């Protein structure tokens, strides 16, 4: 039904946007191994996005590409965290740590969804997200305990992104109405923050003070990034409407 | 000397030389140069296609392209490892690339300006690479030959994917067809030049062939490639930009026109359309990643110390 | 003290205090805070609109927008100069902004997400700014008042241009009209809050009024602004998002509904939707420009030495 | 006629692309004065582009906006120099020095064009371009003679961009056929390089060795930058075809 589709779209948009951001590290990573690792994570996320958007599209007779390439900015439902610029590697890792910790909590509950498609998608994604989280936690340790500069940079990344954390736990429409089909974002808050706190403290870093940036409705009303992401992502598809590739 | 004898035996028997075997310095040097050049080509080769990941026109194509560029990084890793077995540390090879002392395949100094270029790179550039590399799977140096086996398997996927991109474009809208034809027009010549200068102009090939590194001459491989792509281009519904291209019944091969070797040597000298850009992209990534590598090293060092301390306690 | 007396005379006569005049410390401090805050607002205010220069939908609009953002940099320059006459060096003010100790108008912590926002910022944000600033042209501190005269002239251009953008959108396609209405819906409340908290919540206003810096209370200015924009919105063919908005014959003013002051104070505290982003943008520019400023200073120092040497010779 | 229009388009596209690149310095410049100065230069260039594209458009019944927003990548005729990324301030100044020196030479000859519109446009632009060149030369001095770092950075900028200099002097179609309507790019080469050499040497910097990047036909066939510039520049206009703004 449409409410489930809208929920799948929220999850799919998060994955798509983060994949898009991450993929621009490819050929720019600090080590060749990281080109491979970040491409891997970006590919996993793109895979999740494709499943979720394909599923969402069934409610409106749309394909994954209709949803990815022919929705306008205000029709996307991604959170601001995944839309943030990559910045340096420290900031990218901070974003990965936050998002994959959240996503891991989310999918480990979504496997019990009463919607069999969502449960199956979550099941497939869960192992991958576990790897994403390990990867981010490992790098958080290396950067946090590495050099003075690296510790400063990842701390800056965490400080800078922390105000977008609360948005992850907002019970936005239509989730509360979906019952056991969905996972209530607010129900993830405590465990996610706990895990994050552990990872951050293990790396000798400081958990930033919680204070959410105003405006957390996933409509893009409060983002200046989304338009730029879409301008680039959609440019070719929109230049040739109706073409197949 | 026993080592020298054994080396010669191995070569004569067309067997593999392994890292711990004795080998003549010139053999080692030739291999390091060739393998690291090949590795660098994979790394720089990530850029033209990487350029289209963010704009790929469907999610499926985006996923395929991302996986392909990731494979190239992977190939780089295998090849740097193979070169390291010859005693050259990876950082030294990185430095050579960074400072512009190392070469990589000139083809990557051409831009991937349109989506169709991604197709043309897959079909023609990976196609030429495979033609070059399949014989290298039998290269006398073991780690290199084995790396090539893995790489060739993946490359043939890539070539197929490139062909599919072009096929879809060629049979799509008029603009898409035109885009595909343009891309082929631009990449055909440079792809044929990937086999290197004509045999008459390639003085080092003989020694490489005697060592069982190279198996066929530049011109032989080029001919093989042309013979392969002509029927493929017909299946694509695209033309190759060479009016002299035609089947020669007598030779059992396609004849083809002369290539622009002035352009080739000019690009080789560093004046490719994007030579500067490619190197600067690489350098920026390296510079911006320096603090990360330092941090990782410091962390690893500390971990090591702690473990040593525990072991000592 | 003669200085104190003269200062009080100047204020009583509603004349200008000039930089070389004696002034009480709290007067100086209040002015520095207000003028530098105003300067910072111009600087940070370049970002939301600057965000649309590269994507402006026609070359004419691009030129107008570029000129507008340039004007804001210019206003920043005038205002920092005015503040410097009070004895605070520009670099100190930059540092305060850089470290987040200085405030700037909260409105700029809202995003300019669509092209229509550029119109809404011009019409509503510059409109509110003018309402605020016109009385400041008569501010008792001379350099500030004179800077405001120049600024107000340009701001009223800007407001007119913003209105025109919205008018064109409102009378354009359905999507354009909707885009304009959305932008007005989003900026209306925050624009009304630009006048500061209700008078009952604004403890410092009294002193500023006694010093002839401020001339009207927050609520008076807010009312004046509402009275101005209601007819303008009708001419635009757009509605203001306040169901309680209506003409009050008796008061001779428009009544309007309560504003969301929780949001206001939350944004003021640094939790605006883009508070982080704005400050980081500023910091990055500052950091990345440090080497340029150093070079310019070194060059100027050297020029100076050479001239001195010549003069000495 | 169409040949003159195509010439005006070449000049207009150079100005438009450089204006677009420069304008992204606004709010990011190293000093507030430079925000103003770079915006000024970008505005001037945009002004030239508008005159030139409006004039070019008359040949095909198109407006400046038709040409700026609804041409595809391969229809632009800008040179690669102006399409290069801003990089740091040193690189931007290096690009400005090269381009404004060339453009100054160009316009000071174009004022004698037998085409009165082109002559008038050049006449108006000339004073502005003189200022652009002074500005770039001043900064070249400051950076070249400032600190070790600044001298290294502007030298890097010059080295990096120098391979795009030759393209400026190529007598591309339709210029040779235009006679005294146009200025033959090759005729500008000697004086431009002489001026550049003076400015560079006065700043204690080294004139890079001349070696042109292959492929100088102004078709964009050899650029990976143009597509990105246009994706951003054209996104909104193309989302609303036929709309007025």
């Amino acid at each position: 039904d449409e409410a489930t589709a809208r929920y799948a779209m929220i999850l799919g948009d998060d994955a798509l946007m983060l994949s898009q951001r991450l993929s621009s590290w490819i050929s720019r990573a600090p080590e060749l191994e990281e080109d491979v690792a970040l491409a891997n994570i970006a590919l996993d996320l793109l895979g999740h996005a494709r499943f979720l958007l394909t599923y969402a599209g069934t409610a409106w007779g749309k394909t994954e590409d209709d949803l990815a390439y022919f929705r306008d900015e205000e029709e996307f439902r991604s959170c601001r965290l995944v839309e943030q610029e990559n910045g340096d590697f420290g900031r990218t890792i901070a974003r990965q740590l936050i998002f994959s910790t959240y996503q891991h909590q989310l999918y480990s509950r979504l496997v019990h969804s009463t919607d069999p498609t969502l449960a199956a998608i979550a099941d497939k994604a869960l192992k991958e997200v576990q790897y994403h989280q390990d990867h981010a936690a490992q790098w958080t340790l290396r950067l946090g305990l590495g050099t003075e500069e690296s510790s400063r940079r990842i701390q800056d990344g965490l400080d800078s992104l922390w105000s977008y954390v609360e948005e992850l736990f907002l019970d936005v429409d239509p989730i509360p109405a979906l019952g056991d089909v969905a996972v209530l974002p607010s129900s993830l808050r405590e465990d996610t923050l706990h895990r994050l706190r552990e990872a951050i403290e293990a790396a000798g870093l400081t958990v930033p003070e919680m204070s959410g940036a105003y405006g957390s409705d996933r409509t893009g009303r409060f983002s200046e990034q989304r338009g730029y992401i879409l301008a680039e992502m959609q440019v070719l598809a929109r230049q040739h409407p109706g073409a197949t590739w | 000397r026993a080592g020298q004898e054994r080396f010669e035996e191995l070569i004569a028997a067309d067997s593999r030389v392994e890292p711990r075997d004795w080998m003549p310095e010139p053999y080692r040097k030739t291999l390091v140069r060739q393998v690291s050049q090949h590795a660098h080509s994979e790394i720089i080769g990530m850029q033209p296609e990487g350029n289209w990941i963010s704009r790929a026109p469907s999610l499926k194509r985006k996923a395929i392209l991302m996986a392909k560029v990731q494979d190239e990084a992977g190939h780089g890793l295998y090849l740097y490892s193979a070169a390291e077995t010859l005693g050259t540390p990876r950082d030294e090879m990185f430095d050579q690339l960074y400072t512009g002392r190392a070469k990589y395949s000139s083809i990557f100094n051409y831009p991937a300006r349109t989506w169709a270029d991604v197709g043309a790179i897959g079909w023609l550039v990976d196609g030429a690479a495979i033609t070059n590399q399949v014989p290298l799977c039998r290269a006398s140096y073991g780690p290199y030959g084995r790396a090539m086996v893995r790489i060739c398997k993946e490359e043939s996927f890539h070539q197929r994917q490139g062909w599919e991109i072009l096929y879809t474009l060629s049979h799509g809208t008029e603009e898409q067809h035109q885009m595909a034809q343009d891309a082929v027009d631009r990449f055909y010549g440079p792809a044929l030049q990937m086999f290197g200068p004509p045999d008459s102009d390639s003085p080092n090939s003989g020694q490489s062939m005697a060592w069982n590194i190279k198996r066929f001459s530049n011109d032989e491989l080029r001919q093989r490639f042309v013979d392969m792509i002509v029927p493929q281009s017909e299946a694509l519904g695209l033309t190759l930009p060479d009016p002299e291209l035609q089947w020669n019944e007598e030779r059992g091969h396609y004849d083809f026109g002369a290539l622009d070797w002035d352009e080739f040597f000019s690009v080789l000298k560093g004046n490719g359309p994007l030579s500067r850009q490619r190197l600067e992209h690489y350098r920026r990534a390296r510079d911006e990643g320096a603090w990360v590598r330092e941090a990782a090293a410091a962390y690893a060092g500390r971990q090591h110390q702690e473990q040593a301390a525990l072991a000592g306690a």
Side-chain angles (χ1 to χ4, degrees), chain B residues 178-195:
Chain B
Q178 189 55 46
M179 195 195 284
Q181 183 62 57
D182 280 351
V184 169
D185 289 350
R186 276 181 286 123
F187 275 96
Y188 170 80
L192 260 63
Q193 293 178 327
M194 285 175 69
F195 299 95

Side-chain angles (χ1 to χ4, degrees), chain B residues 47-48 50-52 54-55 110-113 186 260 263 266-267 271-274 276-278 280 284:
Chain B
Q47 291 182 37
N51 183 39
W52 280 95
S54 69
R55 298 176 290 175
Y110 289 84
R113 192 181 64 75
R186 276 181 286 123
D260 182 349
E263 175 181 332
S266 156
V267 175
N271 296 329
L274 270 62
R276 265 274 168 196
Q277 182 182 314
R278 297 292 184 238
E280 283 171 4
R284 189 166 9 161

Side-chain angles (χ1 to χ4, degrees), chain B residues 1-8 10-11 16-32 82 85-87 140-143 211 213:
Chain B
R1 282 268 305 287
Q4 171 90 39
E5 260 171 47
R6 174 158 160 74
F7 176 78
E8 277 162 16
L10 285 170
I11 296 295
R16 300 279 208 195
V17 178
E18 294 298 335
R20 63 197 67 186
D21 292 331
W22 181 91
M23 60 191 88
E25 260 327 287
Y27 175 84
R28 182 187 301 273
K29 263 189 154 158
T30 299
L31 269 169
V32 169
T85 63
L86 292 156
S140 56
Y141 187 60
W211 277 330
I213 300 174

